[in-house]
Amino acid sequence: AKRHGLRILSSSYDESKEQSGFQPMSHELAVQGGYAGLRGFLADIAALPTLTVIEDCTIVRVREGGGLKATLLLRTWRRRDGLGASR
């Protein structure tokens, strides 16, 4: 997010029970910034070394200071052996 000029407003995650050698994690992330930065950030999610999907996303215009605020609910599966997720 920071690489795309977005400000991280909040971030939290929760790990779930391991499933078939993969550790699922839920992330809630709130970011704020310009349209181009948010678009670039969302596009880069597919390039992560883990399987990460956007389960929910809310984007609103910020009246004070302009820009956008996005609240994302992400789900990530990573291999317990640390090698990344197979696709």
Side-chain angles (χ1 to χ4, degrees), residues 13-27 51 55 74-80:
Y13 76 95
D14 182 42
E15 293 186 7
S16 300
K17 186 178 177 183
E18 183 177 328
Q19 300 171 1
S20 302
F22 289 88
Q23 181 70 51
M25 299 180 354
S26 295
H27 307 262
L51 173 58
E55 289 191 339
L74 306 166
R75 174 115 20 207
T76 297
W77 291 268
R78 65 180 173 89
R79 287 180 60 150
R80 294 296 295 169

Side-chain angles (χ1 to χ4, degrees), residues 2-81:
K2 289 181 180 181
R3 188 166 54 96
H4 290 285
L6 300 177
R7 185 167 56 112
I8 298 173
L9 303 175
S10 66
S11 175
S12 65
Y13 76 95
D14 182 42
E15 293 186 7
S16 300
K17 186 178 177 183
E18 183 177 328
Q19 300 171 1
S20 302
F22 289 88
Q23 181 70 51
M25 299 180 354
S26 295
H27 307 262
E28 187 170 323
L29 179 65
V31 296
Q32 183 174 333
Y35 173 80
L38 183 57
R39 183 183 64 202
F41 171 72
L42 294 172
D44 278 356
I45 290 174
L48 291 172
T50 56
L51 173 58
T52 300
V53 296
I54 300 171
E55 289 191 339
D56 191 38
C57 179
T58 303
I59 301 172
V60 295
R61 182 177 60 145
V62 177
R63 293 183 188 264
E64 297 175 12
L68 301 169
K69 176 183 173 186
T71 303
L72 303 142
L73 179 57
L74 306 166
R75 174 115 20 207
T76 297
W77 291 268
R78 65 180 173 89
R79 287 180 60 150
R80 294 296 295 169
D81 61 13

